[in-house]
Amino acid sequence: LEKRYETQYTPLIEKRSEIIRGRSDELALRGFWLVAMLNHGFLRQFITHQDQKCLEYLIDIRTKPLPQSQSGFILEFEFDPANPYFSDHIIQKTYVSIKETSQQMETIDKITVSPERISWRSPSTNLLSVARKNGETSFF
């Protein structure tokens, strides 16, 4: 079922990417992903003011499946190579879902997030360190 629908939504995702990047006959939507993430009730809480400045350079977000032996997915965050924060063009975060049984015998999904190591351009642009100093948790 998933494969069947993938063939239907893939062209739509590609068209969205073209519009956001400004590669089609339409205007580019700079900051689209930042606005989308800030409008997401759950994600918003993990984005600091400093993160917002960096996320303005976010061009695209894509998903990739994990090997079939694992439950979860990989999110690829593609950034403008000219961003002043890090030299990485693509950053990945791996989300793995593990079934656990709680003390009440409920089966719950425990999700672990493994971000990729980021090559920050300088200590002042390392948003993880900046957030820690401010007592915050960075999206990165």
Side-chain angles (χ1 to χ4, degrees):
L1 185 63
E2 188 174 317
K3 290 284 185 198
R4 187 175 117 213
Y5 284 106
E6 183 177 351
T7 60
Q8 294 177 8
Y9 66 73
T10 298
L12 297 172
I13 291 172
E14 290 170 358
K15 177 68 174 169
R16 178 188 65 197
S17 181
E18 288 176 12
I19 293 169
I20 292 168
R21 294 168 187 261
R23 290 185 181 163
S24 68
D25 57 351
E26 301 168 30
L27 294 175
L29 296 176
R30 184 118 178 128
F32 170 84
W33 287 110
L34 172 60
V35 171
M37 293 168 75
L38 289 174
N39 283 321
H40 188 279
F42 183 72
L43 277 180
R44 177 181 35 237
Q45 66 184 325
F46 300 108
I47 300 173
T48 68
H49 180 68
Q50 292 297 323
D51 291 341
Q52 289 181 35
K53 293 177 185 178
C54 180
L55 289 169
E56 289 177 5
Y57 294 91
L58 184 57
I59 296 171
D60 202 5
I61 301 174
R62 294 180 292 275
T63 61
K64 293 169 65 175
L66 287 176
Q68 289 200 332
S69 62
Q70 291 182 305
S71 178
F73 55 92
I74 297 170
L75 282 181
E76 273 189 351
F77 298 89
E78 182 180 351
F79 286 85
D80 182 335
N83 85 74
Y85 293 90
F86 40 78
S87 57
D88 307 288
H89 180 57
I90 294 177
I91 293 175
Q92 291 186 342
K93 286 188 177 190
T94 303
Y95 295 78
V96 178
S97 177
I98 302 166
K99 298 263 187 227
E100 288 189 348
T101 304
S102 70
Q103 291 178 345
Q104 292 81 18
M105 301 306 289
E106 299 175 296
T107 302
I108 57 171
D109 283 330
K110 178 181 177 187
I111 298 175
T112 58
V113 180
S114 303
E116 200 174 66
R117 186 170 212 84
I118 298 173
S119 301
W120 300 99
R121 293 194 190 272
S122 73
S124 65
T125 62
N126 183 332
L127 298 176
L128 295 170
S129 296
V130 171
R132 249 183 257 124
K133 287 178 188 173
N134 294 332
E136 299 172 315
T137 302
S138 173
F139 171 78
F140 296 95

